[in-house]
Amino acid sequence: MVSASPARGLGSLLRARAALCALGLLARLAHGSFRFRGVRLRVARGCFAPAFVSTGLLYDVASRALGGRRLGCDVGTGPGSLALALARELGAEVVGTDVDVRCLRCAWENAVANGLDHLFHPVACREAQALRSGAFEFAVANPPYLPLDPAGPAGVAACGGRRLEVLNAVLRDSVRVLREGGVLLFTASSLASVSGA
């Protein structure tokens, strides 16, 4: 955890709240049909759409870094944007986990619509809690990283808790499910700093 002065901490908190407001607005508007890295997607209202920079950046790094790996998981898959694009690009089987069954159902429908249902396996659970330890060659996560308590659909997708407990749980579980030598790729932000910790 990062320690900061009270003034700096207040500035970080204000930036995090402003980012959450912007994400909330985008989340309400960003639903419907999308194309993401060669995959057609239907994104239900309230699911994290691939309209945000973090998803594209994570895909770009993962598609180059994970070549040759055939079994992975996407922790917090949402509508399956990243999982399905990586399954298509790498020919890898990808387990997608999510707590939102609506988004997970959307991910499965997207897998079927793109002919990737043989490579995508949805699992409803928090983080990767239902997955076996040491089972995967790679894990990817675009976790909630704002240092705010989650509330509402945008908050669940973006807020990692005041002490980033959600973000930390996602990363701990992602590491747990990796085989020795496995690769974890995830997104974070300078907004993920916590004051007074």
Side-chain angles (χ1 to χ4, degrees), residues 135-148:
F136 297 94
E137 296 174 276
F138 69 87
V140 293
N142 191 4
Y145 51 69
L146 295 178
L148 302 168

Side-chain angles (χ1 to χ4, degrees), residues 58 62-63 65-77 80 82-98 104 116 118-123 125 127-128 130-141 173-179 181-185:
L58 184 53
S63 65
L66 299 175
R69 296 178 190 270
R70 296 286 171 243
L71 182 60
C73 66
D74 177 13
V75 181
T77 197
L82 191 57
L84 296 174
L86 288 173
R88 186 192 64 75
E89 176 69 22
L90 303 173
E93 286 190 63
V94 182
V95 172
T97 69
D98 209 290
L104 211 52
L116 296 168
H118 65 292
L119 293 174
F120 179 71
H121 312 287
V123 175
C125 67
E127 294 88 31
L131 305 183
R132 194 173 72 237
S133 297
F136 297 94
E137 296 174 276
F138 69 87
V140 293
D173 229 20
S174 297
V175 168
R176 179 188 60 76
V177 301
L178 288 174
R179 294 176 182 167
V183 175
L184 169 60
L185 298 172

Side-chain angles (χ1 to χ4, degrees), residues 5-72:
S5 69
R8 182 172 172 226
L10 182 59
S12 293
L13 186 59
L14 290 174
R15 284 192 301 278
R17 288 191 191 283
L20 180 59
C21 288
L23 286 171
L25 177 62
L26 285 171
R28 282 192 293 281
L29 299 173
H31 59 88
S33 297
F34 288 84
R35 283 197 65 79
F36 178 74
R37 305 303 198 262
V39 177
R40 294 177 324 278
L41 300 166
R42 183 187 68 79
V43 177
R45 186 181 302 271
C47 296
F48 195 79
F52 303 101
V53 162
S54 59
T55 309
L57 290 174
L58 184 53
Y59 170 83
D60 291 343
V61 170
S63 65
R64 289 191 303 270
L66 299 175
R69 296 178 190 270
R70 296 286 171 243
L71 182 60

